[in-house]
Amino acid sequence: MAGATVDGDGKFHFAVDRGGTFTDLHCTLPDGSEIVSKLLSVDPSNYEDAPTEGIRRILNEYDPNGKKHPRGEAVDTSLIGSIRMGTTVATNALLEREGERMGLVITKGFKDLLQINNQTRSDIFDLTCKAPKVLYEEVVEVDERVMLAEFFDEGKSQATIDLLETQSLEEDVQQNVSSRYYTSKWPKAGVGKRIRGITGEKVIPLCSPDPDAIRSSLQSLADKGIKSLAIVFLHSYVYPEHEILVGDIAKSMNCFTEISLSHEVMSMVKVVPRGFTVSASAYLTPKITEYLAGFTKGFDAGLMDNVRLDFMKSDGGLTPVNDFGGHQAILSGPAGGVVGYAKTSYRPSLGKDETEITKPLPVIGFDMGGTSTDVSRYDGTLELVFETTTAGVSIQAPQLDIHTVAAGGGSRLFLQNGLFVVGPESAKAHPGPICYRKNGYLAVTDANVVLGRVIPDHFPNIFGPNEDEPLDLAGAREAFQKLKMENAEADGRSVEELAYGFIQVANEAMCRPIRNLTQMRGFDITSHALACFGGAGPQHACAMARALGIKKVYVHRYGGVLSAYGLSMADACVEEQEPAKEVYAVANSGGGFDENIDPSASTREERLEYLAEKARLSLMKQGYSEDSVVIEKYLNMRYQGTDNAIMIKESSSASALPYAEKFVEQYHREFGFELDGRDILIDDFRVRGVVLGKTLQTPAATPQLGSPTPAGKTKAYFENGWEEVSTYNMEDLKPGHTILGPAIIFQSISIIVLEIGCVAAVTSDGDLDIDVAQLHSNDAASVANDGRETEIIEDPVQLSIFAHRFMGIAEQMGRTLARTAISVNIKERLDFSCALFTSDGGLVANAPHIPVHLGAMQSAVRFQVEYWNAEGREGIKEGDVFVSNHPQLAGGSHLPDITVITPIFHEGNIIFFVASRGHHSDIGGVSPGSMPPHSVNLKEEGASIVAFKLVKDGKFQEEGITDILVNQGDVPGTRNLKDNLSDLRAQVAANNSGIRLLHELVHENGLKKVEAYMHFIQHNAEMAVRNMLKKFASAHGTRSHSIDYMDDGTPIELTIEIDPKTGSACFDFEGTGPQILGNLNAPPAVTYSAVIYSLRSLVGQDIPLNQGCLTPIEFKIPSYSLLNPSDDVGVVGGNVLTSQRVVDVVLKAFKACAASGAGAGPTWEGRSGVHTHCTNTRITDPEILERRYPVLLRRFGLRKGSGGNGKYKGGDGVIREIEPLRPLVMSILSERRTLQPYGLNGGEPAMTGKNLLVKKDGTVLNIGAKRSGSLNVGERLVIETPGGGGYGKATD
C-alpha cells in the first residue's frame, strides 16, 4: 500500500485532531478536493464523541450520493478510505489521573522508587511540595536482583570468578543481618553466573524470581481489581529475562488486560524514567483501547475491516491502531501540527523571475490552542528528545521536542499584586471563556473579542446551551468592566486598555519559551520564520514576531486546523532500539581520534541491520511495500565520563569515523565546546523505518496584483487605540495580492490580525507570507520635545511584561550554564543559580534554581563593587569578570559555591551586573569533594577567593586562577582543576548570554525604561511582602518568636517585630548560639537567602523574586554567632544544614508549617522522600549510580512512619542502603540525628535520622551525624533521613 492517501479515489480520507478545546478535521473528498471543519471537543448535550460527530457532519453534507447520515445512527463507512487521528485522550487521562487501575511490579528494596523520583520539587516555593499522584495503586516487590559485573570482577583472577560462579544459595550466599537495630536479607554480591547481556556487558543474576511467590502476589492484585501491570526490574535494559519470566506468569493467569514490560516499552538505562514510561504504558493503553471502543461504536462494522485507521505518535509518525501504546500518545495531538508546519513552511521559494530559489528559513512552530501553547523548531529534520516530563511522569521514549506554556485562548486573566497575570489556570472547553455563553471565566479569547480582533459575526455560531449562538461580546465587556471596578491596578484604564494589556502580557508569556528554544541552544532567533497555527495563533503571531525580532510569519490557509492537515501528510514510522555499551572512537593525544581504531566495527553494523530488518518487516506487515520503506540509522553517543548523550543520524561523510565527526560538530553547537582526550561511547543503537507521506512542491512564483478590494471595514484596537481597519475574506484573495496592516483577514475557521506596518502576500498556494515591520524604542522615547527627560510612570502591563523578560533572561543564563558546564554537579544535578542586578548590585531577578542561593549573590556583587572601586585599586573596566567564594568576606555561601560576576557597560558606564553561582565538585581542602565532615577552619575546606579578576581586558586569566585553586599551602589543592576551569568558563559564558539579552532589551526599550522597570519590579516584590506581613500582624499580632536547635544544642533564636502600618519588620536573631568549633557556621548571606526563600513562600503567589523581598526587613544578627561567624571558621555545613534550620525557625515564627522534611501544614500532609527548602538538586538514578561507581544500591525507599503524627501527618524520610564493591572512603555530613524535627499546633515531632554502618559479621554501628572513614567490601552504609513534623492534634 502506498504511503500517502490517494486524492480523488472516490473515498473520503479524514485527518482528525482532537484537542482539549476544539476538534479539527481535514478531509480529502471523493473528487480530490479538500475541506476543513472545527467543532467543540466536549459538548455532552449534543454528541458523545467529537471526531465521530465531525466525520458524520462531513459525510452528511458531502456524500456524493446524497445519502443522509443522521446523528444517533452508526456512521456508514462504505465511502471512508482512511482515518488518521491525533488525540489528547492519553494526555488528559495522565493530567487528570483517570487511567486504568494499575499495579507496579518492581525489584525488592525499591517499591517507593517512582514516588521518590529524583527527589526534586517542581515549585520550590510551594510549602505543600505538591506532586501528582503516582499512577499505580499497589506495588509488588519481587525478590530478584541483577548486578553489573565490571566493578566487582575488576582485579580478580579467573579462578576466583569461576569459584563465585559455581556457588549456590545452599553455600551461604545469603547475607543476613537481624538485630533489634537492623534487619536485612540480601543475596551476596558477586555470587552467580556471569552472563553477557544485550549491551555486551557481563551481568550477575544474584537472585531469580520465585514463580510460586510471583503467582501468589499477582493473584492478590487481581483480587483487588487491578487490571493492568507495569513490570520494571533494575538493569532489565541489559538483562530482561526476569521481566520476561514474570510477564509470562502474569499472561498465563488471564487476570490482566494489559501487561507492560519496561525493556519492551523502552530499553534504555535509567530505571526511574523507564519505570515511569512502563507505568504510563500500563496506565494509559487501556484508556486508549477504551476510547477506541467508544469511537468505533459510532461506526458500522466496516470500520475495523475496511478502513485504514492510524494514530499519530509523539515522535511525529503514524502507527496502526493496534500498535498504539499509551506511552507513545502523550504528544499525539501537538505532533500533527509540527508535521503540518514542517511540510508547509520549510520550503524554498521562487523569486520573481522563477529562477532565483531562496534557501528555507528555519521555522519556529507556534501552535496556540485553547488551553496551552506549543512551540517547536524545524530546520530540515524533526527534532526529537528521548526523556521528557509530563504531569510529573518522566517518559523515556522518542518524542518531538515541543515546549508547552500554559497560555492559550482559554487562559484565565487575573490582576494580582499589581501585576497582570495570564494563566496558568484555564477556562477549558467547558465552560470556556465568558464569550462562550456557558457561565465561564474571563480569558484571553474574551480580550480578543472586546478588542475587535475576534469578530463574532465571522466566528462559527456554535456557542450557548444549544450550540447555535455567536460569541458574546457584551458579556465579555461586562466581565472586564467588573474586573476594572474591583482592582486598583486597573485604575484609569478603559475596558479596551485593560483587555489590550492582558493581550500584551499573554504574548510575552508565549514569547518566553520561543526565546528559550532558540537562544539557549545557540540559535539566532531573528534568523527564523514564525509559522503560526491553531485557532488563536493568527491573532497573536504578528505582535509576537515583532517582539522577538522575527521578520517573517507564515499563516497556512488551513492554519486553524494545521494539526489535522499535518496528519494528512504525516509519515508512517516504526522505531527499533537496543541499548549498547561500546566505544566508537578512541581519543588520541592530539585532541582528535585515532582513525585506525574502530572498536565497535565488528558488532555495530550487524546490530543496526538487525534493527533495520525488524523495522522494515513491521512496516511491510502494515501493508506498505518494501520499496517504500526508508531506513534511518542512529547511534546514541556521549563523551566518556559524561551523561549528555546525543542521538546522531548516519552521515554520508567519507570520514573514517563519520558518526564521530557529526557528534563533535553537534556537541560543539549544543554545548559550546569539545572535550579533548575523551573517547566517544555508544549508549544505544536505533533505527527508524519510515514510509514518507505527502510532500508539497515548491510554490510557483506569483504575479504582483497589488491590494485587493476590502470586503468591509471594522474597528479593532491596536497599540495606538481604536483603528478603522479593512477586512478581507480569504476566499476572495488571489495569489499575488498584498495587504498592508492594520487589517483583519477572515479564514473559514480562524481570524488573522495583521498588525500596523506588517504586509501580507498571498502565495500561489493561497497561504499568507507576512513581512513583519520592526518597531524599536530607544532612549529618545524618554526625552521630551524640549530636551528634558520625561518621567517614566509605572504601568502594570509593562511591569508584568518586564517581569517575564527579566526572569526569562535569568533562566536562559541558567540553561546556558547547564549546557556548557562539564561537571555532574552543575550539568546534571543543576546545583547552580543565575541572577541579574542593578548598577548598584541590587538583585532584580534570580531564577529559582537552588533556594540557598536566593538573594545571597547580592552581597557578593556589592562586595566586588566596593572592593574594586576602593581607593588604590584598579577599578572596574569593560572586559573584566570577577570571581569570589569567600563566605564571610565576599558574600559567599560556602567555598565550593563559586560566584562569577560580570559588569555590563553601556556608553562607557556600568548599567547592570549579571552573576552565576555554581557548586564545584572539588576546590581542594582536606577531603575529596571539599565537603569535609569535621573541618573546623575555612582553610581546611579548600581554596578561598576574596576578589580576583577571572577575565581581565577580555582575557581569561587561567594562570592566576590555577595558582589560587592549586597552591593552598599545607592543604591539598583542587583535585579536579580541568573541570574547575571548564565550569568557570561556562559561568562566564552564562553571564555573557545574560549581557547579550540585556543589551537587546535596552535596544528594544531604551536604557531609562529598563532601569526604571528594574526598580519598579523591586518595589512590586517589596509591596507584596509588606502586605503579607501586615496580614500576618493583623491575624497573629505584631510580635512573633521561635527557637530551634542544632544537634549539638546550639540555639537559633528569632524574634520578629512587625510594624502593622508600614509592613516593615525586624528579624532579630539575638539569642542565637556562638560560632562553633566545626563547620556548621553560616555566613550572613546564607541567612538572607533562607529568609528571602521563606518570605517568597509565605506570600503564596507568583511574585518577582528580587531584593525587594528583603527591603522591608531589618536584620539583627549577633557578631561571632553561628549565623555571623568570624572570617576564618569552617562553614561548609552551614550552607547545606544550618540554612535548613534557619528556614524552620522562620516558618515556625510565622506558624506556617512543621519542621522539614517535609513538614505538614494547616491544610496539607507533608510529602515524603523529597528535598525540602534550601536544596532542590537531583539525585542520581540507581542504574547510573551502579554503572558509574563501584557500589551496589541494596535499598532505596521511604522510611515509613518517620513523619510526625497529627491532624496532618508529616512526610516520611528515606532509607538508602549502599554496599561497596571495593574498599571506599565514605564521608557524611548530616543533621537532625539527635533532636527531632518539631511538630506544630499540637502536631507530633518526626523521628530523627540515623546513619548506620553494618559490619560483615552483622554488627551494627551508629556512626553519628558527621563521619569520614573507610567502608570495606561486605559492609553496608545505611542512611535513614528524618521525617517532617506533624501539624495539628491527631484525632482518634
Side-chain angles (χ1 to χ4, degrees):
M1 181 180 287
T5 58
V6 180
D7 294 346
D9 64 354
K11 297 276 190 177
F12 289 85
H13 296 277
F14 293 97
V16 185
D17 173 46
R18 187 194 185 281
T21 305
F22 290 104
T23 290
D24 301 332
L25 294 93
H26 171 273
C27 180
T28 302
L29 299 175
D31 62 1
S33 58
E34 299 175 318
I35 61 163
V36 293
S37 178
K38 182 185 286 282
L39 69 161
L40 289 171
S41 291
V42 180
D43 196 349
S45 61
N46 291 287
Y47 45 83
E48 291 184 17
D49 179 68
T52 305
E53 173 66 11
I55 291 171
R56 185 199 66 77
R57 290 180 183 181
I58 291 175
L59 290 172
N60 197 54
E61 185 172 351
Y62 293 96
D63 189 302
N65 302 316
K67 179 181 178 181
K68 293 303 177 184
H69 299 258
R71 189 182 290 176
E73 294 183 9
V75 175
D76 181 358
T77 61
S78 59
L79 288 178
I80 300 177
S82 65
I83 299 174
R84 296 176 166 191
M85 287 189 65
T87 177
T88 57
V89 168
T91 311
N92 293 339
L94 187 62
L95 290 170
E96 296 163 16
R97 292 302 193 261
E98 292 181 348
E100 181 60 89
R101 296 187 63 193
M102 189 264 286
L104 176 68
V105 182
I106 196 167
T107 303
K108 179 184 174 183
F110 296 90
K111 67 175 294 185
D112 305 311
L113 187 63
L114 300 189
Q115 183 176 345
I116 296 171
N117 199 344
N118 61 16
Q119 291 199 273
T120 62
R121 55 200 196 277
S122 57
D123 181 355
I124 63 173
F125 302 116
D126 179 10
L127 295 177
T128 70
C129 301
K130 284 195 301 282
K133 285 172 28 181
V134 293
L135 304 183
Y136 53 86
E137 288 186 32
E138 300 284 337
V139 183
V140 168
E141 288 188 283
V142 175
D143 195 4
E144 70 81 39
R145 189 62 157 98
V146 172
M147 68 175 282
L148 304 177
E150 181 181 4
F151 284 123
F152 188 87
D153 288 353
E154 194 173 52
K156 291 183 173 62
S157 68
Q158 189 59 49
T160 301
I161 293 173
D162 290 344
L163 180 62
L164 289 166
E165 286 191 324
T166 57
Q167 288 187 22
S168 65
L169 290 175
E170 286 74 28
E171 296 175 26
D172 190 29
V173 298
Q174 290 288 114
Q175 192 169 9
N176 302 333
V177 176
S178 182
S179 74
R180 60 180 295 185
Y181 303 107
Y182 175 83
T183 300
S184 77
K185 181 179 180 180
W186 306 114
K188 266 190 181 178
V191 175
K193 191 76 175 172
R194 272 64 177 163
I195 299 173
R196 196 167 295 279
I198 293 172
T199 62
E201 296 168 273
K202 288 184 179 179
V203 299
I204 310 170
L206 300 179
C207 181
S208 297
D210 177 353
D212 292 336
I214 295 295
R215 195 169 282 105
S216 174
S217 297
L218 296 183
Q219 187 60 55
S220 69
L221 293 184
D223 292 343
K224 295 176 182 178
I226 299 295
K227 297 292 186 184
S228 187
L229 292 181
I231 302 172
V232 56
F233 296 150
L234 262 68
H235 300 297
S236 63
Y237 67 96
V238 64
Y239 184 78
E241 276 69 16
H242 289 177
E243 284 190 0
I244 293 170
L245 172 63
V246 175
D248 287 345
I249 292 171
K251 290 172 187 173
S252 70
M253 296 173 65
N254 295 316
C255 298
F256 305 102
T257 57
E258 177 66 28
I259 301 166
S260 296
L261 311 182
S262 78
H263 77 277
E264 292 180 347
V265 169
M266 179 47 65
S267 190
M268 292 181 77
V269 68
K270 290 188 181 178
V271 65
V272 173
R274 195 172 71 251
F276 275 120
T277 305
V278 72
S279 296
S281 176
Y283 187 72
L284 299 174
T285 301
K287 203 69 180 176
I288 291 173
T289 304
E290 178 186 317
Y291 172 74
L292 286 172
F295 174 72
T296 57
K297 186 176 68 174
F299 297 81
D300 65 24
L303 179 67
M304 300 306 290
D305 296 332
N306 303 320
V307 178
R308 182 178 189 90
L309 181 57
D310 289 330
F311 274 76
M312 174 64 83
K313 298 183 296 180
S314 297
D315 64 359
L318 295 168
T319 192
V321 60
N322 295 331
D323 295 335
F324 190 48
H327 65 291
Q328 302 170 315
I330 305 302
L331 297 179
S332 172
V338 175
V339 173
Y341 85 77
K343 292 210 172 190
T344 58
S345 301
Y346 186 81
R347 290 186 289 163
S349 58
L350 292 175
K352 296 178 183 178
D353 60 0
E354 299 194 25
T355 60
E356 176 192 354
I357 298 180
T358 62
K359 183 183 177 183
L361 290 174
V363 187
I364 299 295
F366 168 55
D367 178 7
M368 184 177 178
T371 55
S372 63
T373 293
D374 296 321
V375 299
S376 55
R377 180 180 182 275
Y378 184 80
D379 192 9
T381 57
L382 295 174
E383 296 184 355
L384 300 179
V385 291
F386 293 85
E387 186 178 325
T388 58
T389 300
T390 302
V393 176
S394 297
I395 303 295
Q396 196 178 44
Q399 299 178 72
L400 291 170
D401 190 8
I402 298 174
H403 296 231
T404 301
V405 61
S411 292
R412 293 176 59 186
L413 308 179
F414 305 94
L415 291 170
Q416 294 175 350
N417 293 312
L419 294 172
F420 281 52
V421 178
V422 178
E425 298 89 344
S426 173
K428 300 184 178 180
H430 188 81
I434 296 288
C435 60
Y436 280 18
R437 299 179 183 270
K438 292 184 180 179
N439 298 316
Y441 303 98
L442 192 63
V444 170
T445 297
D446 293 309
N448 277 316
V449 169
V450 164
L451 297 173
R453 292 163 169 251
V454 169
I455 302 173
D457 291 346
H458 291 271
F459 213 80
N461 289 351
I462 56 175
F463 303 100
N466 299 317
E467 63 168 8
D468 58 357
E469 296 182 77
L471 292 165
D472 184 4
L473 169 61
R477 286 191 63 87
E478 184 180 338
F480 275 108
Q481 183 65 39
K482 182 180 179 183
L483 185 72
K484 179 175 178 286
M485 300 300 294
E486 293 175 350
N487 291 272
E489 294 94 335
D491 280 353
R493 291 179 183 271
S494 66
V495 164
E496 293 82 6
E497 289 170 333
L498 190 61
Y500 189 68
F502 279 113
I503 293 295
Q504 291 177 289
V505 174
N507 288 347
E508 181 54 43
M510 293 182 289
C511 284
R512 195 160 158 184
I514 294 176
R515 291 191 179 96
N516 292 340
L517 183 68
T518 52
Q519 293 169 335
M520 78 173 187
R521 295 177 55 195
F523 298 118
D524 178 8
I525 194 170
T526 63
S527 68
H528 292 67
L530 185 69
C532 78
F533 53 106
Q539 290 122 55
H540 298 257
C542 288
M544 289 177 56
R546 178 177 288 165
L548 292 165
I550 290 175
K551 302 175 183 65
K552 184 74 71 176
V553 171
Y554 297 135
V555 182
H556 194 268
R557 62 189 179 279
Y558 297 143
V561 293
L562 194 63
S563 291
Y565 188 54
L567 281 164
S568 75
M569 298 184 292
D571 304 336
C573 80
V574 168
E575 292 269 355
E576 297 290 347
Q577 185 167 321
E578 282 187 352
K581 190 181 182 186
E582 305 269 1
V583 177
Y584 177 78
V586 177
N588 61 32
S589 57
F593 302 95
D594 193 331
E595 295 188 355
N596 297 315
I597 302 176
D598 190 352
S600 65
S602 60
T603 58
R604 185 175 66 242
E605 288 308 314
E606 179 183 336
R607 292 185 67 182
L608 284 170
E609 190 50 45
Y610 164 73
L611 295 174
E613 186 62 16
K614 284 182 69 176
R616 191 178 292 112
L617 291 174
S618 178
L619 286 165
M620 290 168 64
K621 185 179 177 182
Q622 295 176 29
Y624 297 104
S625 67
E626 183 174 3
D627 292 343
S628 67
V629 178
V630 177
I631 295 296
E632 300 172 352
K633 297 178 181 178
Y634 298 83
L635 300 180
N636 198 26
M637 311 177 81
R638 62 183 174 89
Y639 279 118
Q640 187 174 29
T642 72
D643 272 352
N644 288 90
I646 301 176
M647 197 67 73
I648 302 297
K649 187 178 180 180
E650 185 177 34
S651 169
S652 59
S653 169
S655 166
L657 298 169
Y659 283 100
E661 182 179 68
K662 192 79 178 290
F663 170 81
V664 171
E665 175 189 327
Q666 191 164 335
Y667 194 94
H668 189 277
R669 182 181 60 76
E670 285 280 333
F671 303 116
F673 58 89
E674 300 163 22
L675 293 177
D676 293 339
R678 300 202 191 195
D679 296 347
I680 297 177
L681 310 181
I682 303 172
D683 274 353
D684 301 276
F685 295 109
R686 172 175 166 249
V687 163
R688 185 176 173 92
V690 178
V691 176
L692 297 175
K694 187 195 310 183
T695 301
L696 302 178
Q697 300 300 313
T698 300
T702 56
Q704 301 300 305
L705 301 183
S707 299
T709 302
K713 296 282 187 179
T714 189
K715 284 193 171 184
Y717 197 92
F718 292 88
E719 59 259 39
N720 299 323
W722 286 105
E723 302 262 0
E724 185 174 63
V725 300
S726 298
T727 63
Y728 303 86
N729 296 319
M730 197 71 202
E731 59 264 29
D732 298 335
L733 302 180
K734 300 197 178 343
H737 274 147
T738 56
I739 300 170
L740 177 65
I744 291 178
I745 303 169
F746 302 114
Q747 288 182 321
S748 60
I749 46 181
S750 186
I751 295 176
I752 302 160
V753 175
L754 203 60
E755 297 283 340
I756 296 172
C758 296
V759 179
V762 184
T763 71
S764 59
D765 290 337
D767 306 328
L768 290 182
D769 186 331
I770 302 173
D771 290 322
V772 179
Q774 298 299 314
L775 304 178
H776 293 296
S777 65
N778 50 47
D779 279 354
S782 60
V783 180
N785 292 333
D786 57 5
R788 290 176 297 132
E789 287 192 1
T790 59
E791 182 183 3
I792 296 175
I793 306 298
E794 180 179 341
D795 176 76
V797 173
Q798 290 296 310
L799 188 68
S800 306
I801 292 171
F802 274 102
H804 276 287
R805 293 297 296 272
F806 292 145
M807 191 59 74
I809 291 171
E811 288 173 350
Q812 286 193 57
M813 288 174 63
R815 290 185 174 94
T816 300
L817 180 51
R819 184 168 59 88
T820 56
I822 283 180
S823 68
V824 171
N825 275 342
I826 295 177
K827 195 174 203 65
E828 295 159 29
R829 296 183 61 244
L830 306 182
D831 193 349
F832 64 82
S833 287
C834 299
L836 322 179
F837 304 84
T838 57
S839 58
D840 63 355
L843 178 65
V844 174
N846 196 142
H849 295 126
I850 300 299
V852 77
H853 296 166
L854 301 177
M857 282 191 285
Q858 174 173 279
S859 301
V861 174
R862 285 184 163 164
F863 174 81
Q864 295 299 314
V865 173
E866 294 171 5
Y867 179 90
W868 291 105
N869 285 331
E871 187 175 349
R873 296 200 173 98
E874 59 191 84
I876 300 174
K877 301 174 183 176
E878 200 160 357
D880 288 347
V881 178
F882 313 115
V883 62
S884 68
N885 70 345
H886 199 292
Q888 294 93 314
L889 298 180
S893 45
H894 63 176
L895 294 181
D897 284 345
I898 298 181
T899 306
V900 174
I901 302 163
T902 308
I904 303 178
F905 283 80
H906 178 74
E907 298 179 352
N909 297 313
I910 295 175
I911 54 173
F912 314 122
F913 287 90
V914 288
S916 54
R917 177 170 288 180
H919 186 110
H920 287 240
S921 58
D922 196 297
I923 55 160
V926 296
S927 174
S930 305
M931 295 283 291
H934 295 300
S935 58
V936 296
N937 61 63
L938 196 64
K939 188 175 182 180
E940 295 175 327
E941 297 174 1
S944 60
I945 309 168
V946 175
F948 179 73
K949 290 193 175 182
L950 182 65
V951 178
K952 188 173 182 180
D953 298 325
K955 297 178 181 177
F956 189 82
Q957 303 297 301
E958 182 170 336
E959 184 177 342
I961 192 64
T962 297
D963 182 63
I964 291 172
L965 293 171
V966 172
N967 299 318
Q968 299 180 30
D970 56 354
V971 175
T974 179
R975 300 161 184 87
N976 204 352
L977 178 64
K978 191 173 181 180
D979 280 9
N980 292 138
L981 295 175
S982 295
D983 285 349
L984 287 170
R985 286 190 175 95
Q987 289 179 257
V988 172
N991 288 3
N992 286 340
S993 72
I995 292 171
R996 176 175 53 80
L997 295 169
L998 278 167
H999 274 308
E1000 288 179 9
L1001 191 63
V1002 169
H1003 180 67
E1004 292 172 26
N1005 297 277
L1007 176 60
K1008 299 299 181 187
K1009 188 173 183 179
V1010 174
E1011 287 180 325
Y1013 275 93
M1014 282 189 168
H1015 294 292
F1016 293 153
I1017 212 78
Q1018 290 174 328
H1019 179 68
N1020 178 267
E1022 174 190 344
M1023 295 312 297
V1025 170
R1026 288 188 186 276
N1027 290 336
M1028 181 275 293
L1029 292 170
K1030 290 177 185 177
K1031 186 176 179 181
F1032 178 83
S1034 175
H1036 302 284
T1038 60
R1039 188 178 189 277
S1040 186
H1041 174 269
S1042 68
I1043 189 170
D1044 202 355
Y1045 300 85
M1046 306 299 289
D1047 275 351
D1048 66 359
T1050 300
I1052 297 177
E1053 188 167 359
L1054 172 63
T1055 301
I1056 300 174
E1057 296 279 357
I1058 301 173
D1059 184 330
K1061 295 181 179 178
T1062 65
S1064 296
C1066 176
F1067 280 50
D1068 188 349
F1069 288 90
E1070 186 64 44
T1072 296
Q1075 63 186 43
I1076 64 170
L1077 188 65
N1079 59 28
L1080 296 183
N1081 304 291
V1086 169
T1087 298
Y1088 300 153
S1089 291
V1091 171
I1092 199 173
Y1093 161 79
S1094 301
L1095 293 174
R1096 169 62 183 81
S1097 300
L1098 290 165
V1099 168
Q1101 291 179 335
D1102 189 13
I1103 65 168
L1105 181 67
N1106 56 51
Q1107 184 54 29
C1109 294
L1110 290 185
T1111 299
I1113 310 303
E1114 176 190 0
F1115 285 93
K1116 292 184 179 180
I1117 308 176
S1119 299
Y1120 304 108
S1121 69
L1122 183 73
L1123 303 183
N1124 191 7
S1126 59
D1127 60 17
D1128 57 350
V1129 299
V1131 297
V1132 72
N1135 185 64
V1136 294
L1137 299 175
T1138 309
S1139 61
Q1140 297 281 66
R1141 196 71 76 260
V1142 174
V1143 171
D1144 281 342
V1145 168
V1146 174
L1147 295 180
K1148 184 178 183 181
F1150 281 97
K1151 302 172 175 58
C1153 62
S1156 59
T1163 59
W1164 71 86
E1165 295 198 337
R1167 179 176 160 190
S1168 298
V1170 64
H1171 281 163
T1172 60
H1173 299 325
C1174 286
T1175 186
N1176 198 40
T1177 55
R1178 297 175 179 174
I1179 198 161
T1180 304
D1181 186 272
E1183 288 180 346
I1184 295 294
L1185 180 74
E1186 294 187 358
R1187 251 192 166 190
R1188 186 183 289 164
Y1189 302 108
V1191 297
L1192 192 62
L1193 185 62
R1194 290 294 193 177
R1195 180 168 43 149
F1196 185 31
L1198 297 179
R1199 189 183 175 210
K1200 300 294 186 183
S1202 56
N1205 197 16
K1207 180 180 180 181
Y1208 298 100
K1209 293 182 179 180
D1212 289 329
V1214 300
I1215 300 177
R1216 274 174 81 82
E1217 185 171 345
I1218 302 170
E1219 179 179 339
L1221 302 180
R1222 66 172 66 148
L1224 299 175
V1225 174
M1226 64 166 178
S1227 294
I1228 188 164
L1229 185 59
S1230 60
E1231 269 285 317
R1232 294 287 194 197
R1233 266 51 179 181
T1234 302
L1235 302 177
Q1236 294 173 274
Y1238 64 78
L1240 203 60
N1241 199 29
E1244 297 178 14
M1247 293 173 62
T1248 58
K1250 290 189 289 187
N1251 302 326
L1252 305 176
L1253 176 62
V1254 182
K1255 306 289 283 186
K1256 283 183 75 171
D1257 63 2
T1259 304
V1260 179
L1261 303 176
N1262 187 331
I1263 62 174
K1266 301 160 187 67
R1267 179 68 56 191
S1268 183
S1270 61
L1271 187 63
N1272 296 313
V1273 175
E1275 297 180 336
R1276 272 161 286 150
L1277 176 65
V1278 181
I1279 301 171
E1280 301 184 7
T1281 67
Y1287 189 98
K1289 190 171 182 179
T1291 55
D1292 296 333

